[in-house]
Amino acid sequence: GPTRKMPLTASAMDFFQLFVPDNVLKNMVVQTNMYAKKYQERFGSDDAWIDVTLTEMKAFLGYMISTSIHHCESVLSIWSSGFYSNKSIALIMTQSRFEKILKYFHIVAFRSSQTTHSLYKIQPFLDSLQNGFDSAFRPSQAQVLHEPLIDEDPVFIATCTERELRKRKKRKFSLWVRQCSSTGFICQIYVHLKEGSGADGLDALKNKPQLHSMVAKSLCQNASGKNYIIFTGPSITSLNLFEEFEKQGIYCCGLLSTRKSDCTGLPPSMLNNSATPQSRGQYRIRMKGNMSLICWYNKGHFRFLTNAYSPVQQGVIIKRKSGEIPCPLAVEAFAAHLSYICKYDDKYSKYFISHKPNKTWQQVFWFAISIAINNAYILYKMSEAYHVTRYSRAQFGERLVKELLGLEDTSPTH
C-alpha cells in the first residue's frame, strides 16, 4: 500500500504530483524553451513564439490528458465545432499557442557526447517517475511481469476500414511492466526499442526468449532479496531465468508453452502430451530441487514452472458451469493473479492518452504519463480522501485536467 498518509483534502493534482512534481514540470519548461531557441537559430526565427511558462506547461499537459477521458482522435478537436469540442477548457489557451508548445515540446533538448541510449530524450523523466513509484508505494509479495494493454482505442478500431488500419504506423517499441497483482499499481516500467543496433536491440537479440529474459531481469533489478513471487507468461518463463532469480531471493510461477517458452533443461517426457485420454483436473509433476514442472489437464494440457509453491499443496479452479476442478496450488494462484491483471487492463486501458505522435520518445512519454495517472488514482482509492469525494476514474481524470488548467470548480462532476 501507500508509504505516506495523504490529507483528507488531497486533490487529484496532489496524487499526480507524487510522480510528476513541479521540479519535473519546470525542467520541461526550461528544455522546451532551449529547444525552441536552438530550432529557430537553425531554421529561422519564429515571431509567434514566446517562451513557455510553468502555468502554460501545466495547461498543455491538461489538454493532452483530457483526450484520455473523451477519447477524441485528435487533441485539436477541443477547439473545433464538432462532437469532441470542449468550450469550457478551450478558452484557457488558444489553439495556435497550444500547437506552438506542441511543436517545441522537449524533456531533453540537447544530446550529450556521452549519451548512447536511444531514449535519451525521455530517460531522465522515466528515471524520475521510477523514483516516484518506489517512494510512494510498497507492493505486495505477488507481482506480475507483462505487457499492459495499450493498443488503439477499441471503438476507433471497430469503425476503421482495413486500409485505414494499415496506414497507421506500428509502434517501434514494446512497453513491459512489473505490476502489483493485489492492487494493479505498476511498480516499474521497461521500454524496449524494436529497432536498434545496441546491446539491447533486436539486431543483437535474434531470438525472443533471450530478449524476454533480458526484459525480465531489467524489471526485477530492484526486487532482489525481497522474497517477491513473480508471475510470468509463456514468453518469459524458462528454467535458467527462474534459477537465476532464485539465487537473488526472487521466486517465480510461470505458464510454460512448448512453442513460445525457452524449454532448455526441461524433461521432454513432460513436454509431450500423453496418448491416453485424461480427465479434467489430473496432473503430473517432476521436481528438481525447489523447482517443479506441473502438467495439468483441463480441456487441454497446461504446463507450469514454479519454485514458489509446493506441488503437493492442493487448490481448485472454480468454473461457472463445471464447478470445482482440482489442481495444484500453483495453478490456482497463477489463475487468480493473472485474472486480476486482466481486470486492471479492462478498467484502466481505456484511459490512456489518445494523442498519437510520430516520434517514439513522445509516444513513450504519453504512455508513461497515462500510467502515472492510473497509479495516482489507485493511491487515491486507498487513501482517506476517497471516502470524502469518491471520484470514479473518469471523474478523477476530469478533476486533474481542471486543476492543471487552473479552473476553480471544486464540485464533483457527474
Side-chain angles (χ1 to χ4, degrees), residues 253 294 296 304 317 327-336:
C253 180
I294 302 166
W296 177 68
F304 297 86
I317 298 288
C327 66
L329 183 62
V331 179
E332 180 188 347
F334 183 90

Side-chain angles (χ1 to χ4, degrees), residues 143-145 178 220 228-232 250-254:
Q143 296 166 38
V144 179
L145 305 186
R178 177 163 57 85
C220 295
Y228 288 153
I229 298 175
I230 304 293
F231 292 87
T232 64
I250 303 170
Y251 300 91
C252 305
C253 180

Side-chain angles (χ1 to χ4, degrees), residues 43-106:
F43 297 107
S45 63
D46 184 350
D47 296 333
W49 172 253
I50 304 168
D51 278 0
V52 68
T53 63
L54 179 61
T55 302
E56 285 183 314
M57 185 57 71
K58 287 182 178 180
F60 172 75
L61 290 178
Y63 283 124
M64 286 297 195
I65 293 167
S66 71
T67 66
S68 67
I69 304 157
H70 304 293
H71 303 293
C72 47
E73 173 61 9
S74 168
V75 65
L76 300 180
S77 303
I78 292 168
W79 292 274
S80 71
S81 57
F83 180 77
Y84 290 112
S85 64
N86 193 332
K87 302 300 181 190
S88 62
I89 64 174
L91 299 175
I92 303 298
M93 184 185 290
T94 63
Q95 180 179 340
S96 59
R97 179 58 176 165
F98 174 86
E99 288 183 281
K100 285 293 178 189
I101 298 173
L102 181 62
K103 177 181 178 180
Y104 296 122
F105 175 68
H106 265 71

